Amino acid sequence: MITRAVVVPHPPLLVPELVVGAAAETEPVRAATLAAAGELPGPWVAVAVGDDGRATYVPPLSGTFLGYGVDLPVSLGGDLPPDARIPLPVLITAWLRERCAVEVSRVELVPRDLPASGCVSFGRQLAEEECGLLVLGDGSTRHGPRSPGSEDERSGPFDSLVHTLLSTADVDGLLGLDLELARELGAQGRAAWQVLAGVPGPWRCSGAEFFAPFGVGYHVAVWERP
């Protein structure tokens, strides 16, 4: 049974080597992410959203951040040569694994537009596994003038709601997040959060934080059994 789950973002800015000029500005979200991941027992099963739909990545597997500007290799386990085609959520999972010194069983990518019912079904499939569940996903990309997307005044209320739902372990509220609104706001973490909500509880949150450097929302939360 999954007894603990951790929600983290997966932007390249978590990796100091990729943001040399902004390492100090991005340190708070990096520190919170590493602290939360450090509370997650192994082996990990990670869940994130994939741009190319459903996929599973298992070790031995290695990748590189070369596509993000620095040829920094990371590994899910094993010593295979780095594969430059590994998606960002898998790279970040590997980066976190190396820093937390844990085993990763696999990384599961789900489609960006997977409906809540499909997320619940997948969460229930994961429920009986003996693992720590790492849930990777970013919030809206449209917070203010520094955002990579055009500014959208709905981003603040949306991510404020997500933060409240994560901090109260409100699974019904998470499952009620609107797919279309999340898509319009660039919040691709919606499906991964709803997979977590599909893992039967009860749950309680022992800590949750929200950050929005450079106009993108990043959520960090730790859920555990009461």
Side-chain angles (χ1 to χ4, degrees), residues 1-9 32-33 35-47 96 123 126-127 129-136 166-167 169 171 174 192-209 219-226:
M1 175 183 292
I2 296 173
T3 59
R4 181 166 293 196
V6 166
V7 174
V8 296
T33 297
E39 295 187 42
L40 191 64
W44 289 355
V45 170
V47 175
L96 290 171
L126 296 173
E129 298 205 29
E130 296 290 339
C131 67
L133 183 62
L134 183 71
V135 180
L136 301 104
L166 289 173
S167 63
V171 297
L174 285 172
W193 303 329
Q194 289 185 332
V195 170
L196 168 60
V199 178
W203 292 105
R204 73 176 183 90
C205 178
S206 62
E209 298 181 78
H219 295 275
V220 178
V222 177
W223 283 18
E224 58 193 12
R225 302 286 180 182

Side-chain angles (χ1 to χ4, degrees), residues 41-212:
W44 289 355
V45 170
V47 175
V49 170
D51 290 333
D52 298 321
R54 186 78 177 85
T56 302
Y57 292 82
V58 298
L61 184 69
S62 298
T64 173
F65 285 99
L66 182 60
Y68 299 91
V70 178
D71 188 8
L72 177 69
V74 288
S75 172
L76 280 183
D79 56 0
L80 295 180
D83 184 340
R85 300 167 297 175
I86 301 301
L88 179 60
V90 183
L91 293 174
I92 293 296
T93 299
W95 183 80
L96 290 171
R97 179 201 75 85
E98 292 180 345
R99 276 138 196 85
C100 296
V102 299
E103 176 187 349
V104 172
S105 295
R106 66 188 188 279
V107 181
E108 300 279 9
L109 300 185
V110 299
R112 185 181 301 269
D113 290 338
L114 185 67
S117 59
C119 296
V120 169
S121 178
F122 189 55
R124 288 176 177 167
Q125 291 177 37
L126 296 173
E128 296 305 317
E129 298 205 29
E130 296 290 339
C131 67
L133 183 62
L134 183 71
V135 180
L136 301 104
D138 297 345
S140 174
T141 60
R142 304 182 69 177
H143 286 275
R146 301 181 74 188
S147 62
S150 58
E151 183 176 1
D152 192 313
E153 62 183 11
R154 298 173 297 172
S155 290
F158 175 86
D159 273 323
S160 178
L161 173 61
V162 172
H163 173 67
T164 297
L165 298 175
L166 289 173
S167 63
T168 56
D170 185 342
V171 297
D172 291 334
L174 285 172
L175 293 174
L177 291 174
D178 184 79
L179 186 156
E180 289 299 328
L181 177 60
R183 180 194 292 127
E184 291 172 10
L185 296 178
Q188 52 76 36
R190 188 275 315 170
W193 303 329
Q194 289 185 332
V195 170
L196 168 60
V199 178
W203 292 105
R204 73 176 183 90
C205 178
S206 62
E209 298 181 78
F210 175 72
F211 307 87

